[in-house]
Amino acid sequence: MTVLNPREHDQAQHYDAFHAARAASPLVAQLYAHAMGEAYPAEAAPNSSCDWALLGALISRLKLRTGQILADLGCGTGGVGLWLARALNARLVGIDVSATAIRLATERRTTFVPAERAHFAVGSLETTGLPDAAVDALICIDALFTAADRMTALTEFHRILAPGGRAVMSRTLPPGGRTEIRAQARAAGFTVEHIDTRHGEPELWHRLYQLWIVNEDRLRVELGHDQADNMLAEAHRMQPRLAMRQAVLVALRRPAPSRPHGPGHRLP
């Protein structure tokens, strides 16, 4: 069992309340669906910018084979990882700091795959609790910003990936950010395979934030004042920054050794 540090414990309490409130009301999912339109993957019901285009890009960049193990780090309620596990005929392990998210993800897993093909556990991006070289690929969707130290998180991603495995992450970049990504990747032991621009992502968030603001009264009634205050504060804080936002999907690879390498402690 992963033991959370004080910062992660506070983060867990925040996200426990976040996921509990959203699970109790369909309103937030309805607003995501309205903002995304036909691009909204309703079955996965993500609390992120994951749309049909991103799901397709993830399949392309992960290159998983049948029966391999996919980790979803910062998995939330599990929809994206579960959808991919079914589509790729893979096994899934989901990690999130929120015990509430882990419970909700576990409850919905058989909607997508047999129970034995998906496992969820509490952990953080920096301390997943997974063994060395335990997974064949991993995703981290709109979650890397939650890490206290991104280099520590990337080093942890490298540790849990089997040689040759890929880490695929959605990120936003400051000016010159592609150079920073490449430097961070090299420092963590990765090679950069692809950095794909997500052209419509800033506009998606603009539409969604506008819907949050317009529906303030409904959010307060259905989610409570604390969650509504958090969402509205995010909307007002982030909207002015969207014009400069560059969203990307980054695919990193842990290099395979030049000669045969013994397996790590694989997950059962």
Side-chain angles (χ1 to χ4, degrees):
M1 179 178 176
T2 301
V3 177
L4 303 179
N5 64 36
R7 176 187 178 276
E8 292 164 348
H9 179 72
D10 290 344
Q11 198 174 58
Q13 290 186 316
H14 168 80
Y15 281 107
D16 282 346
F18 169 97
H19 288 295
R22 294 194 178 193
S25 167
L27 176 58
V28 175
Q30 290 168 0
L31 297 180
Y32 272 92
H34 187 73
M36 291 189 187
E38 291 184 349
Y40 181 64
E43 190 177 19
N47 287 299
S48 69
S49 65
C50 185
D51 55 12
W52 280 117
L54 183 59
L55 287 173
L58 289 168
I59 288 175
S60 175
R61 296 310 186 204
L62 287 167
K63 296 180 172 61
L64 273 177
R65 298 189 301 274
T66 295
Q68 288 190 309
I69 301 171
L70 171 67
D72 184 357
L73 305 183
C75 66
T77 57
V80 174
L82 287 165
W83 190 94
L84 288 167
R86 183 180 62 192
L88 295 166
N89 198 20
R91 296 158 61 198
L92 177 69
V93 55
I95 302 294
D96 198 276
V97 74
S98 166
T100 298
I102 293 303
R103 174 180 59 80
L104 293 168
T106 301
E107 289 173 355
R108 71 190 295 208
R109 61 183 168 176
T110 54
T111 304
F112 294 86
V113 296
E116 65 272 12
R117 276 181 47 197
H119 173 72
F120 295 92
V122 170
S124 70
L125 300 187
E126 295 109 318
T127 310
T128 62
L130 299 175
D132 293 352
V135 303
D136 300 292
L138 68 84
I139 59 171
C140 183
I141 305 303
D142 292 1
L144 191 60
F145 78 94
T146 65
D149 186 283
R150 291 183 183 180
M151 274 306 307
T152 302
L154 289 173
T155 301
E156 175 73 350
F157 295 0
H158 184 275
R159 182 188 68 79
I160 67 173
L161 273 173
R166 293 175 172 86
V168 184
M169 300 163 286
S170 61
R171 294 189 60 173
T172 57
L173 303 182
R178 290 181 183 239
T179 300
E180 178 183 340
I181 282 179
R182 295 182 188 279
Q184 290 177 342
R186 285 195 300 271
F190 285 108
T191 59
V192 178
E193 283 199 326
H194 301 279
I195 303 178
D196 301 313
T197 301
R198 301 181 62 205
H199 294 285
E201 194 259 18
E203 291 78 11
L204 161 62
W205 283 113
H206 176 73
R207 293 192 299 272
L208 185 60
Y209 288 148
Q210 282 297 108
L211 287 169
W212 290 0
I213 293 168
V214 169
N215 287 276
E216 175 179 352
D217 291 343
R218 293 180 65 196
L219 290 170
R220 292 191 181 283
V221 169
E222 297 198 26
L223 277 74
H225 290 295
D226 288 346
Q227 290 303 312
D229 285 342
N230 290 340
M231 293 172 70
L232 293 166
E234 177 184 339
H236 289 296
R237 182 179 71 252
M238 295 301 297
Q239 272 201 324
R241 306 177 188 179
L242 292 175
M244 299 296 295
R245 185 182 181 99
Q246 183 183 13
V248 295
L249 185 68
V250 180
L252 308 179
R253 191 174 190 188
R254 177 176 174 174
S258 56
R259 57 175 183 255
H261 180 86
H265 180 188
R266 302 292 285 174
L267 294 172

